[in-house]
Amino acid sequence: MAHTLREHLADSPLPRLEAQLLWRQVLGVSRAWLIAHDTDPLDAAQEAAYRALETRRLAGEPMAYILGRREFWGRDFRVTPDVLIPRPDTEALVECGLQAIAGLPSPRVLDLGTGSGIVAVSIALDRPDARVRATDCSPAALAVAEMNARALGATLLFSLGNWYDTQLDSGRYDLIVSNPPYIDSQDLHLAQGDLRFEPRGALTDGADGLDALRCIVRGAADHLRPGGALCVEHGWDQAAAVRGLFQSEGFSDAASQRDLAGIERVTWGRLAA
Ligand SMILES: C[S@@+](CC[C@H](N)C(=O)[O-])C[C@H]1O[C@@H](n2cnc3c(N)ncnc32)[C@H](O)[C@@H]1O
């Protein structure tokens, strides 16, 4: 006998909200439709498609990978297992970058380690006069970033490479932004929760968590114009160490900004003019 959506939701081992999202994915409908039609009978193909998604979720796969998308800075981004799942914390990085170039006409921006492209695309769409280059060492991640730029109507330049060792633009940048891998390779969280499914190279630098940040901060002076800004995201306990790096590399006014949870999440500074 055919079951209804209401019966399925009542029986689901998943939290109701997750089950609803999976049903919306299977049926391709809005939340309002789902509520209005919850007594409609479901056919066998729909039930099988739902079961396949439910099984993945029960095995711990993140919702963002199952649904293939995640909202960031008010826009819907495609995500695949080739990229880090966008985190709300990273909105602090976008905010910091946009503040750093506020009032500057046609700024030149470099996003190092763009992943799904959330930072570069958000800045490019909020500042259409900016020239934004997005880089990554993962060709698969760059393909996702390109797909997001195209789908959201952002014009970006892309290059593949190891931090600054890639095709860059002639002239210097007004802003460099980066959310690099910053988890210590020994951190036990890497083997837990969503992190188990995310690309290891997006999470950890394979060292103490500050290796990529050191490389980015040390290289910045060669690529920023005098007075140009560097904004980086880092771990909850890394702000003091990152400010120290900034200070030793010619950023005398380094300061950290807090994310929505009140954690010092982003450090930024301007290169001495
Ligand atoms: C923490 S993820 C950030 C992705 C995206 N910017 C975001 O905020 O969601 C770090 C990104 O840096 C890239 N990455 C890691 N090592 C790199 C390297 N040596 N050179 C360039 N990119 C690198 C990873 O592939 C990954 O996409």
Side-chain angles (χ1 to χ4, degrees), residues 102-125:
L104 190 68
S106 307
R108 297 154 60 90
V109 179
L110 176 64
D111 175 24
L112 296 170
T114 199
S116 60
I118 51 168
V119 175
V121 170
S122 299
I123 291 177
L125 289 174

Side-chain angles (χ1 to χ4, degrees), residues 84-87 90 111-119 135-138 141 161-163 179-181 201-203 233:
L84 187 88
I85 298 167
R87 309 287 204 270
T90 304
D111 175 24
L112 296 170
T114 199
S116 60
I118 51 168
V119 175
T135 77
D136 208 287
C137 65
S138 157
N162 178 17
W163 302 131
N179 173 19
L203 296 169
E233 181 174 327

Side-chain angles (χ1 to χ4, degrees), residues 68-69 75-79 116-117 121 125 142-156 158:
R69 60 179 187 277
R75 300 185 181 99
D76 216 24
F77 284 82
R78 288 291 312 275
V79 294
S116 60
V121 170
L125 289 174
L142 269 189
V144 176
E146 288 187 56
M147 182 168 62
N148 277 320
R150 214 174 311 116
L152 292 167
T155 305
L156 301 181
F158 292 97

Side-chain angles (χ1 to χ4, degrees), residues 47-62:
E47 291 190 338
Y50 174 80
R51 289 278 170 243
L53 300 189
E54 186 186 66
T55 302
R56 288 168 63 187
R57 183 59 190 144
L58 289 171
E61 189 172 339

